[in-house]
Amino acid sequence: KAGVTQTPRYLIKTRGQQVTLSCSPISGHRSVSWYQQTPGQGLQFLFEYFSETQRNKGNFPGRFSGRQFSNSRSEMNVSTLELGDSALYLCASSLVVQSTDTQYFGPGTRLTVL
Amino acid sequence: GENVEQHPSTLSVQEGDSAVIKCTYSDSASNYFPWYKQELGKRPQLIIDIRSNVGEKKDQRIAVTLNKTAKHFSLHITETQPEDSAVYFCAARPSGGGADGLTFGKGTHLIIQP
């Protein structure tokens, strides 16, 4: 099976712009989670989607949003970009949304905000 | 919410020796504890995970132990090899239908000295 894929792999934006990142889960997986990875804060949970519904949300401002489509693909959007949003954004997919499900990560999208 | 502490932040061992990384968690409802390995510029990859109905799990040179009473779990790597050099992350997730995403420790940079 193909692994989790993310596009684009690299992005450079300026402050105030918005950005949309895409994630395609492993075939058959219905849950997608998003994480932000920075050197200072490490890996932090953003949100989780299952069956096109946001199931959980981490402690991030409303500028961070996402959605999931009927084919389980997911997008996340960050509006009004700030310098501190520069990070590696990782998505992970799992079969369903049980707490004990294994999550498999994609390669990430490296976002740089200038 | 859940809080995961990971120690040490850096661990240097001689090739062939054993390495141990320790994590503690705060939420007694956590029932899933994965370990991820992340090489520079690559995605986090699951190396082993343990669920709260098991106290120990082993996969070749890698083992994880879980002490639910003390709320800590550890990763043990025996006969370390140069390719084990990477950053290792522990994580925990509470039960309850996946109410939260994975909460990660800050990571341990494992260095295998030849």
Side-chain angles (χ1 to χ4, degrees):
Chain A
K1 276 187 184 175
V4 180
T5 58
Q6 292 185 245
T7 58
R9 294 294 310 279
Y10 302 91
L11 265 178
I12 299 176
K13 293 285 186 179
T14 56
R15 279 181 300 172
Q17 288 187 309
Q18 74 166 20
V19 67
T20 299
L21 313 181
S22 181
C23 172
S24 292
I26 292 170
S27 177
H29 284 196
R30 296 169 60 197
S31 178
V32 173
S33 298
W34 289 88
Y35 295 86
Q36 181 195 65
Q37 186 174 28
T38 60
Q41 298 299 316
L43 279 154
Q44 293 185 286
F45 171 68
L46 280 157
F47 27 64
E48 179 176 45
Y49 286 86
F50 177 74
S51 293
E52 302 176 64
T53 302
Q54 186 181 91
R55 297 296 298 268
N56 304 295
K57 192 177 194 309
N59 190 25
F60 279 82
R63 300 185 297 108
F64 292 81
S65 62
R67 59 178 176 167
Q68 186 181 34
F69 302 94
S70 58
N71 61 358
S72 295
R73 191 178 69 84
S74 178
E75 289 181 347
M76 68 163 281
N77 184 77
V78 188
S79 62
T80 320
L81 284 166
E82 300 177 359
L83 295 178
D85 296 333
S86 293
L88 180 67
Y89 290 89
L90 293 158
C91 77
S93 78
S94 58
L95 271 172
V96 286
V97 74
Q98 292 180 18
S99 61
T100 55
D101 277 345
T102 300
Q103 294 190 14
Y104 299 91
F105 282 88
T109 295
R110 172 76 61 186
L111 172 64
T112 302
V113 182
L114 302 175
Chain B
E2 175 64 278
N3 182 52
V4 177
E5 300 281 342
Q6 182 172 349
H7 299 281
S9 57
T10 303
L11 178 61
S12 182
V13 301
Q14 291 293 125
E15 182 179 348
D17 288 350
S18 296
V20 180
I21 303 170
K22 298 182 179 182
C23 290
T24 60
Y25 62 98
S26 61
D27 191 340
S28 57
S30 285
N31 65 345
Y32 179 59
F33 307 91
W35 287 87
Y36 287 87
K37 174 184 179 182
Q38 188 175 30
E39 297 175 79
L40 191 62
K42 297 195 175 179
R43 73 185 75 191
Q45 290 207 303
L46 181 78
I47 54 171
I48 196 166
D49 57 8
I50 192 166
R51 293 163 176 86
S52 64
N53 58 340
V54 180
E56 184 174 356
K57 184 177 178 181
K58 191 172 181 181
D59 182 6
Q60 298 184 332
R61 298 186 297 110
I62 294 172
V64 58
T65 57
L66 170 64
N67 183 328
K68 287 224 75 182
T69 302
K71 293 189 202 158
H72 67 71
F73 56 114
S74 301
L75 177 71
H76 304 252
I77 305 174
T78 59
E79 301 172 9
T80 53
Q81 300 168 3
E83 53 265 35
D84 294 330
S85 293
V87 179
Y88 291 80
F89 294 95
C90 63
R93 184 168 189 177
S95 61
D100 297 299
L102 289 169
T103 299
F104 286 86
K106 293 293 188 187
T108 295
H109 186 193
L110 178 61
I111 302 165
I112 308 301
Q113 303 280 5

